[in-house]
Amino acid sequence: MIASLSTGMILGFSAGMAPGPLLALVISETLQYGARAGIKVALAPVLTDLPIILLTLFVLSRLSGLDTLLGLISLGGGVFLCYLAWQGLTFSGSPMGAEAAPRARSLQKAVLVNVLSPHPYLFWLTVGGPVTVRALEHAWFAGAAFIGSFYLLMVGAKMGIAVLVGRSRRLLCGRPYIYTMRALGGMLLLLALFLLHDGLVLIGVILP
C-alpha cells in the first residue's frame, strides 16, 4: 500500500512537471487567458485516460501467466523511465512559451491534445499498467492508491504550474524548476532500476 502510494506520487509529480504537449498547452492557455484556463487544461487527463487504463489492465491481466512477456514489458518500461530520467537529469530550462502549443480556448481542445499524444498510451502499457497489476495482486486498494496518487500529483503539479505561470512568466527558465526536474530525474532513475530488476527476474536472468 505504502509502496504503491509513494510510487504513484513520484511518477505523478514527474509527469506533471515534465515538458510535453499538455504542459505546453497549460502554459499557453495561462499566458493568454489566465490561471483558470490553465487549470481547466490540466484536468484533461482525468477525462481521457480511464479507457486507456482499463484497456491496458485488461490486456495485461490476460498475460498474467506469461512471465517472459511480462518481463520484457517491464524491461521496456525500465528503458522508458531511463529515457525520462535522462531528460530530467540533463534539463536546463524549457524553451516553451505562448507559441509552443496550439492556441486553444476550450477543455475540448485540451482533451484532444491528450488523446492524440502517445505519452499516456506508452506510459500505461510499459510502466503504469504493470505496476498497477502487481499492486492489485496484493489488494484492490493498493492499485487504487497507485492510480489515485498518480493523477492527484500529476494534475496537481500542472495546476500549480498554471498558477505560478500566471504570476511569473519567467518560471520555466528559473533555477528552482531546473533543480526540481533534475531531482525528479534521479528519482525516476531509481524507479527504472527497480523495473529493470523485476523484468530480469521474470525472464529468469537473475534470481528473485
Side-chain angles (χ1 to χ4, degrees):
M1 174 69 175
I2 296 178
S4 298
L5 191 64
S6 58
T7 300
M9 292 174 67
I10 293 173
L11 290 173
F13 190 60
S14 299
M17 296 289 289
L22 192 62
L23 182 60
L25 191 58
V26 168
I27 295 166
S28 175
E29 287 294 287
T30 300
L31 291 174
Q32 293 178 75
Y33 309 114
R36 180 176 295 181
I39 289 173
K40 289 181 179 180
V41 174
L43 291 170
V46 178
L47 303 177
T48 61
D49 287 7
L50 181 59
I52 300 173
I53 297 172
L54 293 178
L55 179 60
T56 301
L57 294 180
F58 174 77
V59 172
L60 293 178
S61 67
R62 299 299 179 183
L63 303 176
S64 59
L66 303 178
D67 287 347
T68 299
L69 185 55
L70 287 176
L72 292 175
I73 292 175
S74 291
L75 290 176
V79 172
F80 179 54
L81 282 188
C82 283
Y83 169 70
L84 296 180
W86 176 80
Q87 285 188 319
L89 291 170
T90 59
F91 188 76
S92 58
S94 175
M96 294 185 302
E99 295 79 21
R103 293 184 180 274
R105 301 185 62 177
S106 67
L107 181 59
Q108 288 81 1
K109 289 288 185 67
V111 168
L112 182 61
V113 166
N114 199 54
V115 167
L116 296 179
S117 171
H119 293 99
Y121 305 93
L122 185 58
F123 172 80
W124 282 105
L125 180 62
T126 61
V127 181
V131 171
T132 303
V133 169
R134 285 196 294 270
L136 290 173
E137 290 175 353
H138 293 88
W140 69 267
F141 50 82
F146 170 74
I147 295 175
S149 60
F150 175 82
Y151 280 99
L152 180 65
L153 268 292
M154 182 180 69
V155 174
K158 282 182 165 54
M159 286 182 172
I161 289 176
V163 172
L164 291 175
V165 169
R167 297 179 178 178
S168 173
R169 292 173 178 263
R170 304 174 68 180
L171 170 70
L172 296 182
C173 297
R175 289 186 177 182
Y177 186 51
I178 295 174
Y179 293 151
T180 299
M181 288 301 301
R182 291 179 179 177
L184 290 171
M187 288 187 283
L188 285 177
L189 182 59
L190 291 177
L191 291 175
L193 294 177
F194 282 117
L195 270 183
L196 292 172
H197 175 269
D198 287 345
L200 293 175
V201 169
L202 286 170
I203 64 177
V205 173
I206 60 177
L207 295 176

